[in-house]
Structure formats: structure tokens, C-alpha cells
């Protein structure tokens, strides 16, 4: 597949939205953004074909995408996406966090889903282009951001089962507040023993829609039980902790060691990687290894495990109060947020919002 074929120049055609929201309408949305319900006035769209490579990069008014009913994505789910944020710093400038890591992860997802790889410079340029027209949509209140959602799918109208020869890549953006309605309050999570998120040799490590589709029933069970997220175990032995429906998991031991599951069927979170780096910078030990649900349960019961948290772009770092299972609970619903959890969260967000020096070179400016 000629999937690294890029146009000679990164020249986006820009069509402004004649029906863009007024300043007042935008400010009303930014005052209470919620998560994932409001979108900016524009979007990025880049075409790819097997014969022409990446072409026709453009910024256009946000709006419906015309699809042939036979478009392969609608039948076989050949789709991938990314999730990242644009942060407004105190001086008004707009930054994003480790975009190369998202670009590379999208390339890995693309390989797994037999989609074309979008070159990293093209990926980052697509974010800059969107922010150039929709930068006013980046909110400035504490803890708010503009959530960026790059995605790519098989657009070719063809019902044979093979990798599509026509694909489009888009970026849309959505002003965001807290992902969970309770803000950063500790959450309850539901342990699904009936359903797995990913199987051996499957797509668990890719950010592809099908993984989320297969998590929805388990997520609905979690919601019924008053839990914010579902926790999945490995699909082979049903014993090792994998991740939540949309976040990674980290456990903190009483000696300060942070432990996170190692598995080739979970999504390698950029938030998790960054948090663990910050912990290592503090001299703490980080272990990426298999963790069984029994170890988690016994560790909390014995006092060896003192904190647990979920992390991801949307939810940042969210303390876990309790894991509820059919016949047991780990932790307790009224548990307070852990100190290390909250201080790592603070340090990460301080870097993202430019309140602390960016010592790892994680930030990329998107405006100007
Ligand atoms: N795991 C899953 C299934 C996710 O959807 C996400 C969120 O993107 C993560 C983990 C965390 O990844 P990141 O920190 O890169 O957002
Ligand atoms: C993200 O954190 O970016 C995700 O994609 C997870 C989803 C729960 C919104």
C-alpha cells in the first residue's frame, strides 16, 4: 500500500463557514462546554486513494459527510481515531500535548486496521489548520480545553471484504469541560466478568471504533450499577486487569511504586505514559507488568495498595474510589482521592496549561 505518499506541499484550501456561530453563541457554549456535545464551526478533511495517496487537504465548514450507503466503514467498521486537547495558556497562546505520540499511535492503529498511515507532519499540520480558523473556540476557564478528534475511515463504496482503496481523514473539535459530570471526584467502576474488550491477536491496542462498540453493553451495565466506567479483564484467562472502556488504570502501592497493566491488547495511553514519567522524575518506581484482579483485591484489603486511578485524555487523571463486582468490592464508595494521584494530576495539568516548565518538551504550539 502506498500509504506514506504525501503531497509535495502541505497546502490546505480553506473555505470559511458562512453560518459560523456568533461571538455570543460561542461564549454561551464555552461557559458550560460539557463533553462531546458541541462542535466548532470548521473541520479538516483530507482524501486518500490507493492510486493518488494523500491529497486535497482542506478546512471546510463543519457539517454532515456525504457517504455512499455501500461505504465500507458502514459495513465492516474500518475506522480509527485519536483524542487530544488544545489548551489555552495564560498569555492566550494555544498548545497541544505530545501530538507526535498521537500521530504515531494513529499510524499504528492504521496499520492494524489496514488503513493508510498519515505522516506525522501532516497530522500536526491538520491540527494547526483547524486551530487557525477555530482558535476562538479554545476556552480559557480552568480545566477546560478544546478536545480534538482526528479520525479516518473507509469511504470506498464496495461490499467485498478487503482494505478500502478510498479513505478520508478528518479532524473535528469540541470544547470540553470535565468528562465525568462529578468533575474530579473519585468514581466507582464496574468489573465486567462476562464481556471482554479485546481478544488475543485482535484490535485491542488500536484506537478503533469497534473496540468501543464492543464495550457499550458492558458500559451500560456499569451505568445501571451506578458506576462511571467499566473495567475489563484479559480475554484468555479472565484474570488479568486490562483497562477501562476509555481509560488506562494505575495502582499505587504504599512504598510509592506505581503499577500499571502490561498487555498487548490495551490502548497505550499517552496520559498514562506521561504520568508515569512524572512519577519516575520524582524518584518513584514504575512497574509495567501483568496485574491480576486478585492482586488488586488483596492489595487493597491488606493496605499494600493505597491509591488507584484512571487516566486518559478526556478524563485526565480520575481517582477510583471503588471497583464493584458481582460478589465483591475493592475499596469503598466514599474513599477520598489519593494524595499522589491528585499531585500527579496537578503536575500534569500545570505542564499542559503552561503553569510549570515543559521540561520534557511535550508541548507544541498550535497558533501563530
Ligand atoms: N484506553 C482507552 C480504551 C482509551 O479510549 C483511552 C483514551 O484515549 C485511553 C486508554 C487513554 O489514552 P490517552 O491517555 O492517550 O488518551
Ligand atoms: C479520550 O480520552 O480521548 C478518549 O478517546 C476516550 C473517550 C472515553 C472519550
Amino acid at each position: 500500500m502506498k500509504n506514506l505518499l504525501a503531497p509535495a506541499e502541505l497546502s490546505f484550501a480553506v473555505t470559511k463557514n458562512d453560518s459560523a456561530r456568533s461571538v455570543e453563541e460561542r461564549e454561551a457554549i464555552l461557559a458550560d462546554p460539557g463533553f462531546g456535545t458541541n462542535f466548532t464551526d470548521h473541520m479538516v478533511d483530507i482524501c486518500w486513494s490507493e492510486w493518488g495517496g494523500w491529497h486535497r487537504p482542506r478546512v471546510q465548514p463543519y457539517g454532515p459527510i456525504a457517504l455512499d450507503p455501500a461505504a465500507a466503514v458502514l459495513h465492516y467498521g474500518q475506522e480509527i481515531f485519536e483524542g487530544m486537547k488544545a489548551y489555552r495558556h495564560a498569555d492566550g497562546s494555544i498548545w497541544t500535548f505530545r501530538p507526535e505520540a498521537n500521530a504515531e499511535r494513529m499510524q499504528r492503529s492504521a496499520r492494524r486496521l489496514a488503513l493508510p498511515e498519515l505522516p506525522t507532519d501532516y497530522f500536526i499540520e491538520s491540527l494547526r489548520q483547524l486551530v487557525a480558523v477555530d482558535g476562538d473556540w479554545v476556552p480559557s476557564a480552568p480545566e477546560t480545553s478544546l478536545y480534538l478528534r482526528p479520525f479516518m475511515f473507509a469511504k470506498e463504496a464496495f461490499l467485498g471484504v478487503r482494505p478500502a482503496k478510498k479513505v478520508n481523514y478528518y479532524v473535528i473539535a469540541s470544547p470540553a469541560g470535565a468528562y465525568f459530570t462529578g468533575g474530579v471526584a473519585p468514581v466507582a467502576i464496574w468489573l465486567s466478568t462476562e464481556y471482554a474488550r479485546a481478544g488475543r491477536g485482535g484490535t485491542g491496542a488500536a484506537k478503533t471504533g469497534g473496540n468501543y462498540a464492543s464495550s457499550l453493553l458492558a458500559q451500560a451495565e456499569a451505568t445501571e450499577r451506578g458506576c462511571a466506567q467499566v473495567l475489563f479483564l484479559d480475554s484468555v484467562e479472565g484474570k488479568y486487569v486490562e483497562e477501562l472502556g476509555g481509560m488506562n488504570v494505575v495502582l499505587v502501592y504504599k512504598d510509592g511504586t506505581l503499577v500499571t497493566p502490561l498487555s498487548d491488547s490495551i490502548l497505550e495511553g499517552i496520559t498514562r505514559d506521561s504520568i508515569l514519567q512524572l512519577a519516575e522524575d520524582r524518584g518513584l518506581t514504575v512497574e509495567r507488568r501483568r496485574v491480576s484482579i486478585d492482586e488488586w483485591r488483596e492489595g487493597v484489603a491488606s493496605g499494600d495498595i493505597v491509591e488507584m486511578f484512571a487516566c486518559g485524555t478526556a478524563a485526565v487523571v480520575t481517582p477510583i474510589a471503588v471497583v464493584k463486582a458481582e460478589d465483591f468490592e475493592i475499596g469503598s464508595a466514599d474513599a477520598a482521592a489519593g494524595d499522589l494521584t491528585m499531585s500527579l494530576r496537578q503536575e500534569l495539568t500545570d505542564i499542559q496549561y503552561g503553569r510549570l516548565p515543559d521540561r520534557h518538551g511535550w508541548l507544541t504550539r498550535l497558533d501563530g
Side-chain angles (χ1 to χ4, degrees):
M1 210 184 279
K2 289 181 286 178
N3 53 17
L4 280 171
L5 201 63
E9 48 176 305
L10 303 181
S11 171
F12 283 67
V14 179
T15 308
K16 285 290 180 70
N17 188 344
D18 293 334
S19 316
R21 261 67 54 87
S22 66
V23 175
E24 294 72 28
E25 285 171 306
R26 187 176 66 230
E27 291 306 322
I29 292 170
L30 295 189
D32 184 17
F35 186 89
T37 47
N38 297 290
F39 302 93
T40 65
D41 292 315
H42 298 86
M43 62 194 214
V44 164
D45 181 354
I46 310 178
C47 301
W48 179 90
S49 67
E50 197 183 55
W51 48 93
W54 292 106
H55 59 279
R56 229 152 70 85
R58 57 200 184 276
V59 175
Q60 63 192 36
Y62 182 94
I65 297 170
L67 274 189
D68 190 291
V73 66
L74 300 177
H75 304 271
Y76 310 126
Q78 198 190 0
E79 186 267 358
I80 56 173
F81 66 99
E82 271 303 322
M84 48 210 302
K85 285 174 170 173
Y87 306 91
R88 192 176 293 284
H89 287 190
D91 64 0
S93 58
I94 300 171
W95 300 74
T96 195
F97 187 72
R98 305 187 66 182
E100 311 78 15
N102 292 92
E104 285 161 19
R105 187 169 67 188
M106 194 167 205
Q107 290 155 9
R108 291 197 300 276
S109 299
R111 283 198 290 278
R112 181 64 185 82
L113 272 290
L115 283 162
E117 292 175 45
L118 186 74
T120 301
D121 56 353
Y122 234 57
F123 179 90
I124 296 176
E125 182 61 17
S126 72
L127 308 176
R128 282 189 209 285
Q129 291 284 334
L130 190 56
V131 164
V133 289
D134 280 340
D136 288 342
W137 284 90
V138 183
S140 51
E143 297 283 323
T144 62
S145 60
L146 183 64
Y147 184 78
L148 302 169
R149 171 55 65 90
F151 60 105
M152 187 194 293
F153 63 81
K155 219 179 191 184
E156 185 186 359
F158 178 61
L159 293 184
V161 184
R162 57 139 171 79
K165 296 182 179 182
K166 277 175 69 181
V167 169
N168 276 56
Y169 164 87
Y170 301 88
V171 189
I172 56 172
S174 175
Y179 183 72
F180 294 119
T181 41
V184 276
V187 294
I189 62 177
W190 168 249
L191 174 66
S192 177
T193 43
E194 191 171 354
Y195 304 110
R197 173 184 174 277
R200 184 188 288 169
T203 56
K207 205 158 168 60
T208 180
N211 293 342
Y212 297 80
S214 70
S215 78
L216 296 177
L217 189 55
Q219 176 62 40
E221 261 184 21
T223 308
E224 264 169 34
R225 286 161 161 97
C227 294
Q229 276 274 303
V230 54
L231 170 67
F232 290 106
L233 300 178
D234 76 282
S235 64
V236 179
E237 294 179 68
K239 176 172 162 187
Y240 294 101
V241 176
E242 294 253 296
E243 61 179 329
L244 306 186
M247 286 147 225
N248 292 124
V249 169
V250 178
L251 307 177
V252 182
Y253 284 65
K254 70 169 181 258
D255 66 356
T257 300
L258 286 88
V259 176
T260 194
L262 180 70
S263 159
D264 56 11
S265 53
I266 66 177
L267 191 78
E268 294 282 330
I270 294 157
T271 314
R272 178 177 73 156
D273 187 66
S274 310
I275 285 285
L276 296 179
Q277 179 65 57
L278 297 179
E280 279 178 343
D281 293 352
R282 294 181 187 196
L284 299 173
T285 303
V286 167
E287 293 176 8
R288 292 172 172 86
R289 61 168 169 82
R290 295 221 285 186
V291 188
S292 69
I293 191 69
D294 289 344
E295 175 182 343
W296 189 345
R297 190 177 170 190
E298 285 155 20
V300 170
S302 70
D304 274 347
I305 295 175
V306 290
E307 300 184 23
M308 43 211 199
F309 63 86
C311 53
T313 298
V316 196
V317 172
T318 301
I320 298 172
V322 61
V323 181
K324 292 187 186 179
E326 205 67 73
D327 48 6
F328 63 89
E329 287 196 358
I330 304 175
S332 70
D334 54 3
D339 290 343
L340 184 66
T341 301
M342 293 314 279
S343 103
L344 287 169
R345 180 184 210 284
Q346 187 67 44
E347 186 175 358
L348 179 70
T349 53
D350 281 347
I351 294 170
Q352 290 169 330
Y353 287 91
R355 297 183 295 251
L356 272 181
D358 173 25
R359 65 179 185 276
H360 291 288
W362 281 339
L363 300 190
T364 290
R365 189 160 178 183
L366 289 179
D367 63 327

